[in-house]
Amino acid sequence: MTRRSVAFATMTLCALSSATLAITACSDDATSPAASPDAAITPAPTSTTDAAPPPVADGSTDASPSTLAVTIDFAARVGVLPFTCEATYASLGTSMVSVGFTDFRFYVHAVELVRADGVSVPLTLTQDAKWQEQDVALLDFEDGKEGCATDGTPDMNTTVKGSVPAGTYKGLKFIVGVPFAKNHANQAIAPSPLNLGKMFWSWNAGYKFAKIDSRPEGMNGDGGPNPTFNFHLGSTACQGDAADGGTVTSCGKPNRLPVSMPLYELGKSKVVFDYAALVSGSDLLVNSGPSGCMSFPGDPECAAVFERLGVDYATGAPTVTPGTAFKLE
Amino acid sequence: MRTLALCAAVLVAGLAACAGGDVGSPSAPPAAPATATPTTDDAGSDAAEGGSAWAWDLPPGFPAPRVPADNPMNASKVALGRRLFYDVRLSGNETFSCGSCHEQKLAFTDGRATAVGSTGGLHPRASMSLSDVAYASGLTWANPLMTSLEKQALVPMFGNDPVELGSPDEAALLARLGGDPEYAPLFRDAFPEKAAPSLDAVVKAIAAFERTLISGRSPYDRHVAGDPTALSPSAKRGMDMFFSERLECYHCHTGFAFSDSIVHEGSAFFELSYHNTGLYNVDGAGAYPTGNRGLIDLTDKPADMGKFRAPTLRNIAVTAPYMHDGSVLTLEDALDHYGAAGRTIASGPNAGDGSQNPLKDDLIRGFVLTASEKTDVIAFLESLTDASFLADPRHSNPFSSPQRPPAP
């Protein structure tokens, strides 16, 4: 390995800007829980329907004074350090091991800004035919180098871009994952970013909502060379109509994560996903069954990871107490 | 395909009954007719009369497979699918094709206990036989959501736990294939309604080829057709035991395809079953080893622990080792497993008495065979080997160079 080793002392710190850490799981406030066949679907904001969003000046976000162009910045971190495929990060998990990475991507959808009067307003995503499709966006922090060379691509995307009606906003909401209707449609003809093979989770009839894969040094692998501690988030316990091509009709454990950041400020705040926090309760040297946490029922490594994320592994619904992996700064 | 659950009863002639029986259910999904013109009610149907007409070459007594309305058969599509099936360009490092883990001479298995992917990743399960996969109502060992070959093809291509083929994404894959001048006319003829090659076309063509992998010309089939010399006396005795209530094999391995999860053009019902055969019992409560627990991994239902699909027994003699994890090495061992009503593992992490698995299928009751009886049952199982299928040039690798690298 030629990666440079980056040691750091306190991995849980996150340079948070003062009082901003307030992620709530937006569990009960929203409406229409029956909108999706998922058994424990996240409270669905009004924007989660699968109808195409209304056209906004042909996808561009400039233009008329009646709309406000918005860029939501995201960042991937490992503790206080920025994520990169080329670094090795020390002292992660309960066994304090060094970790390199092979991937770091996740989908979000139903992005909303909160207006001054408290009303959530859907962000109309710019349709770029690459990172954003209808109300779904892929955030991609890997650059295809070093450890990420196998699964990754050079292209990266750390923002969600779109527009809202002009106004004053404070507060951000989004859901990690792919919405139900898109999650179980035909992947072979899906538009980008839903046609990346590495994000297919075809055996379980959906997509990996998140694919964050690491290589802890010293891990004993039972899955072949270069043992990995993968984190693949996706809906599980899905039921389908077997006679109709296995069309999925519902998923017992949706495993979508609604994130609400009431202190988010447009143009100032940044949404941070912290891998060190995600695995702070996991022993990265220990694995049984699939590599790391692959979301499906009975994976011994999942409970701790899900708890930090903010999803109840037992039910697939958001936890009452928010997870610690997503932060605002 | 690697399991075998033995069963028994005598009415051999009844085997083919489910073939032609319930034709014409009004609720059956659209199916391709047995000859030429494909039916389609999908978009683009006006152009769906692809490349060349199609006629199944079915063994006597076999029904036509059910074909998705949006992927009608045609000869060009099958030829394209065959080439793609054997093309190592489908793997990321250009070393593996579908045929690397599905070798024709082994009834499209790989001879390994569990599969190894193109990058050396170890699969927890054994490569399944593709014999008569067109009739399988469910695909893979235990996935009730995986009922279409088109959808299934995406798993070996893009799955990464483990990596199987590790295919490049659509654009890169198509760019690679574009370097082979033979593909352009094949894609055009196979999919005249499509403007250009696509991932969708790739998986549809592979599925169409897989549907042609029909095996039904074994000595046993000749016996059923009336050839009194087709089976040895030993195989005939074994056949009688297989179809007896003493061994109970035939309940799960039933019908022309020797499986209870079969669908075809004439099916009025959709049957897809999974069984726990007492292969493990690691906690005394029925558990199978973590990471390879069967149907429960998809459904999350406790009762689905250890349940797997009963695969076809056609060509079973050439697909050792057996079961979902290749943990049963020989047909003799498989008979011993079922004879003992479940496997007992004395020590190690998987130790346990499978015969006491509380989730075990109640037809796994055990039996005692003399040495000569065991020989007879195995002779019958060997009579299901279809030599013409294993050597059929229509199913063979169209590339001249070896497609399989040395074993890692």
Side-chain angles (χ1 to χ4, degrees):
Chain A
M1 279 288 149
T2 58
R3 293 183 199 127
R4 66 184 190 277
S5 193
V6 182
F8 62 93
T10 53
M11 63 182 176
T12 56
L13 302 187
C14 204
L16 293 175
S17 62
S18 63
T20 50
L21 177 52
I23 308 171
T24 66
C26 72
S27 42
D28 295 317
D29 56 339
T31 55
S32 67
S36 162
D38 282 344
I41 185 62
T42 59
T46 52
S47 64
T48 54
T49 62
D50 287 295
V56 176
D58 196 31
S60 68
T61 54
D62 55 1
S64 71
S66 61
T67 63
L68 178 65
V70 170
T71 297
I72 313 283
D73 289 317
F74 285 76
R77 299 272 168 82
V78 185
V80 297
L81 299 173
F83 165 80
T84 159
C85 294
E86 294 156 288
T88 300
Y89 299 86
S91 303
L92 294 184
T94 58
S95 51
M96 309 287 279
V97 294
S98 293
V99 170
F101 285 85
T102 62
D103 211 337
F104 208 130
R105 284 180 269 189
F106 57 85
Y107 290 102
V108 299
H109 69 281
V111 182
E112 298 179 317
L113 291 174
V114 182
R115 213 164 53 197
D117 62 2
V119 173
S120 296
V121 178
L123 184 67
T124 301
L125 301 193
T126 307
Q127 302 298 291
D128 61 7
K130 184 169 183 176
W131 299 110
Q132 305 191 151
E133 162 66 20
Q134 296 191 4
D135 72 335
V136 181
L138 176 67
L139 292 158
D140 180 345
F141 303 97
E142 55 77 23
D143 60 2
K145 294 177 181 167
E146 289 286 343
C148 302
T150 300
D151 281 5
T153 58
D155 312 78
M156 301 169 70
N157 181 48
T158 62
T159 62
V160 174
K161 291 189 170 74
S163 64
V164 288
T168 306
Y169 297 90
K170 183 176 183 182
L172 172 70
K173 296 179 181 179
F174 61 90
I175 299 174
V176 178
V178 176
F180 182 87
K182 286 187 172 60
N183 195 35
H184 304 291
N186 184 356
Q187 296 173 335
I189 57 172
S192 189
L194 295 170
N195 59 4
L196 285 162
K198 294 298 187 296
M199 301 303 285
F200 289 171
W201 211 29
S202 308
W203 71 272
N204 201 28
Y207 289 87
K208 297 166 192 137
F209 297 164
K211 180 175 183 298
I212 304 174
D213 300 342
S214 72
R215 282 185 185 164
E217 293 181 359
M219 186 181 192
N220 291 315
D222 58 359
N226 301 319
T228 54
F229 192 94
N230 294 338
F231 175 52
H232 295 172
L233 182 67
S235 294
T236 62
C238 297
Q239 310 297 317
D241 182 352
D244 185 24
T247 303
V248 173
T249 53
S250 68
C251 291
K253 298 183 178 178
N255 293 335
R256 291 186 185 85
L257 174 70
V259 177
S260 177
M261 298 178 154
L263 300 181
Y264 177 89
E265 292 186 66
L266 263 179
K268 297 180 182 173
S269 303
K270 179 176 285 189
V271 181
V272 170
F273 187 97
D274 178 9
Y275 185 82
L278 181 74
V279 299
S280 62
S282 304
D283 184 344
L284 299 182
L285 297 182
V286 173
N287 185 69
S288 56
S291 305
C293 166
M294 310 285 281
S295 287
F296 77 83
D299 188 329
E301 281 73 45
C302 274
V305 176
F306 269 56
E307 181 184 340
R308 272 71 181 179
L309 183 70
V311 174
D312 184 340
Y313 181 55
T315 66
T319 50
V320 176
T321 306
T324 52
F326 274 103
K327 307 173 182 188
L328 188 67
E329 73 174 44
Chain B
M1 130 165 76
R2 259 116 215 254
T3 286
L4 61 129
L6 308 189
C7 314
V10 182
L11 302 184
V12 179
L15 274 183
C18 64
D22 305 316
V23 181
S25 136
S27 62
T35 56
T37 48
T39 59
T40 173
D41 53 11
D42 252 36
S45 61
D46 52 338
E49 183 78 26
S52 38
W54 179 254
W56 293 104
D57 177 23
L58 298 173
F62 271 44
R66 179 175 288 178
V67 175
D70 65 353
N71 191 20
M73 300 290 290
N74 69 54
S76 297
K77 194 182 292 183
V78 172
L80 171 62
R82 176 186 169 206
R83 192 169 184 85
L84 290 166
F85 182 90
Y86 285 106
D87 193 335
V88 296
R89 280 170 286 216
L90 261 66
S91 66
N93 57 14
E94 305 199 41
T95 61
F96 261 49
S97 70
C98 307
S100 299
C101 292
H102 298 285
E103 296 183 48
Q104 182 181 9
K105 68 176 188 291
L106 300 178
F108 297 94
T109 62
D110 60 5
R112 298 174 181 273
T114 53
V116 178
S118 62
T119 58
L122 306 179
H123 201 293
R125 300 214 176 133
S127 299
M128 295 191 86
S129 168
L130 300 184
S131 298
D132 298 297
V133 73
Y135 300 108
S137 55
L139 300 168
T140 74
W141 282 103
N143 191 341
L145 302 174
M146 194 59 75
T147 58
S148 112
L149 286 165
E150 289 81 357
K151 193 189 290 183
Q152 198 279 330
L154 295 170
V155 176
M157 290 179 74
F158 298 109
N160 62 348
D161 187 65
V163 171
E164 298 182 48
L165 289 170
S167 298
D169 288 335
E170 182 172 18
L173 175 63
L174 295 175
R176 273 192 193 179
L177 298 178
D180 181 341
E182 298 214 16
Y183 274 119
L186 279 173
F187 272 108
R188 193 168 55 239
D189 292 347
F191 299 97
E193 75 280 14
K194 287 181 182 290
S198 63
L199 178 60
D200 188 48
V202 168
V203 297
K204 282 179 172 170
I206 291 172
F209 170 65
E210 289 176 309
R211 291 194 174 95
T212 70
L213 303 178
I214 294 173
S215 174
R217 294 184 168 88
S218 67
Y220 162 77
D221 295 295
R222 292 200 294 278
H223 170 82
V224 172
D227 178 353
T229 67
L231 293 185
S232 68
S234 173
K236 287 179 183 173
R237 290 192 298 271
M239 179 178 69
D240 289 345
M241 282 186 280
F242 182 91
F243 293 105
S244 77
E245 300 298 347
R246 178 180 160 206
L247 268 63
E248 307 282 17
C249 317
Y250 75 102
H251 291 289
C252 298
H253 296 288
T254 185
F256 71 97
F258 288 84
S259 168
D260 61 354
S261 295
I262 289 299
V263 67
H264 56 80
E265 185 190 32
S267 299
F269 300 94
F270 189 84
E271 295 181 287
L272 178 54
S273 304
Y274 299 90
H275 308 277
N276 178 321
T277 65
L279 204 58
Y280 294 99
N281 187 11
V282 296
D283 63 351
Y288 272 43
T290 298
N292 216 354
R293 307 181 306 164
L295 191 62
I296 186 176
D297 286 343
L298 273 296
T299 65
D300 198 28
K301 296 176 182 171
D304 289 339
M305 175 66 78
K307 286 187 176 178
F308 293 88
R309 183 167 60 93
T312 180
L313 296 188
R314 288 192 172 275
N315 302 298
I316 193 71
V318 302
T319 69
Y322 302 107
M323 309 302 176
H324 67 278
D325 58 1
S327 62
V328 172
L329 300 184
T330 65
L331 290 175
E332 286 89 342
D333 291 347
L335 285 178
D336 289 345
H337 159 58
Y338 289 111
R343 180 172 65 180
T344 295
I345 299 175
S347 60
N350 295 333
D353 182 355
S355 73
Q356 300 303 308
N357 191 311
L359 300 169
K360 192 181 65 168
D361 193 290
D362 60 9
L363 284 168
I364 311 289
R365 295 178 193 159
F367 48 78
V368 176
L369 294 177
T370 66
S372 66
E373 285 177 325
K374 190 185 290 187
T375 300
D376 290 344
V377 174
I378 291 171
F380 169 68
L381 294 172
E382 289 171 340
S383 81
L384 299 175
T385 300
D386 177 354
S388 64
F389 173 74
L390 302 180
D392 191 329
R394 294 172 299 180
H395 307 332
S396 67
N397 187 345
F399 294 94
S400 54
S401 59
Q403 294 286 299
R404 185 175 183 176

